[in-house]
Amino acid sequence: ETFLKAVLAQSREATLGARALLVLGNIAYAQERYADAIEKYQQFVTQYPQDSALAQAYFWLGMARFQAQQFSESYAALTKALSIGGLPESMTAKAHYRMGESQYQMGNYQAAITSFQQVTGKPFAGQEKSELAYAHFWTGESLYYLKQFAPAIEAFKKSLAYQPPQELLSSVHYRMGSAYEELGQRAEADAAFQRADATGSNASSISDASAATFRLAQSLQRQGKYAQAI
């Protein structure tokens, strides 16, 4: 990293300076120094707007801004990266995914769905199942907040079809149960809550599992099944 900074300070070659900035940004990103990464990527896109790696610089700028919870700026940078074009399929998919997450975090649920559909609508060869599972999950979450409960359930089912990682599994079942509950489908909701309770294993999924247990107990009490509720 020290060597690259020296290269950047002394280089009169535009391409070499641009590459040094990009690598320094990537090092900072990998070390979770997102403010430093943003600074390097921003310097790249400002100083080298004609460089062949411009789309990648905007991509990483958007990724770093997302990690810094700068969601609007993240969306704008990733949009710019896609408009320039030339990104590998894997980066294109990740850009759409982060754009969807950014819109979700800003409460723009319909726009979030549009971005997630760019991930789920045309999966590319070698795309990880977990990425598709998460994209369908967040689609379901967005639909849920739009009160489109039946389509949300279908999105959650698609997430399950991609064998979501353990840390997501309980959340999928819990949110599916909540959607069934909103539709008045009590038996389906209870079954989903039971699956959520059984699959919670880490901090986030345990939270959903606990919530599912509570919702299931409430349901059993309403049905007069007090012993089971306890």
Side-chain angles (χ1 to χ4, degrees):
E1 187 172 358
T2 301
F3 171 75
L4 287 169
K5 287 180 179 178
V7 169
L8 184 60
Q10 299 173 16
S11 177
R12 293 183 175 83
E13 170 64 44
T15 301
L16 186 59
R19 293 302 179 275
L21 274 174
L22 191 58
V23 173
L24 284 168
N26 289 349
I27 290 171
Y29 184 93
Q31 294 176 346
E32 299 183 4
R33 295 186 285 113
Y34 300 119
D36 290 343
I38 290 168
E39 180 184 353
K40 296 298 185 293
Y41 297 138
Q42 190 64 57
Q43 192 176 345
F44 183 111
V45 301
T46 301
Q47 293 184 1
Y48 304 105
Q50 304 303 318
D51 192 271
S52 60
L54 185 64
Q56 290 190 35
Y58 270 111
F59 170 83
W60 287 112
L61 177 60
M63 298 292 279
R65 287 197 180 280
F66 180 88
Q67 295 294 347
Q69 299 187 359
Q70 300 172 7
F71 301 120
S72 178
E73 295 86 348
S74 173
Y75 184 86
L78 292 169
T79 299
K80 181 69 174 179
L82 292 174
S83 71
I84 295 169
L87 291 174
E89 281 189 328
S90 60
M91 293 177 76
T92 297
K94 283 181 170 59
H96 283 299
Y97 180 78
R98 283 292 188 234
M99 289 166 70
E101 283 193 304
S102 294
Q103 292 288 11
Y104 177 88
Q105 293 294 336
M106 292 187 288
N108 301 326
Y109 301 120
Q110 192 59 58
I113 292 167
T114 299
S115 290
F116 290 130
Q117 285 175 338
Q118 293 295 316
V119 181
T120 61
K122 45 183 178 183
F124 60 88
Q127 188 169 13
E128 294 181 6
K129 286 185 177 181
S130 62
E131 189 172 74
L132 292 166
Y134 270 102
H136 281 298
F137 171 75
W138 288 114
T139 299
E141 282 281 85
S142 300
L143 288 164
Y144 181 90
Y145 284 113
L146 290 172
K147 299 187 184 302
Q148 299 179 30
F149 302 118
I153 290 167
E154 293 307 310
F156 293 135
K157 287 180 178 179
K158 289 177 181 177
S159 179
L160 291 172
Y162 283 103
Q163 301 174 336
Q166 190 64 36
E167 65 268 17
L168 178 63
L169 191 57
S170 182
S171 296
V172 178
H173 287 303
Y174 173 67
R175 299 306 288 177
M176 184 184 296
S178 299
Y180 275 126
E181 194 171 55
E182 292 287 351
L183 293 174
Q185 297 177 232
R186 172 51 49 198
E188 291 84 350
D190 288 351
F193 289 144
Q194 286 177 331
R195 290 192 295 271
D197 179 52
T199 53
S201 61
N202 59 27
S204 59
S205 62
I206 287 172
S207 175
D208 283 334
S210 298
T213 302
F214 178 72
R215 299 278 282 275
L216 181 60
Q218 284 184 315
S219 173
L220 291 169
Q221 286 178 340
R222 284 194 294 269
Q223 297 173 56
K225 299 176 180 178
Y226 301 111
Q228 290 176 262
I230 296 171

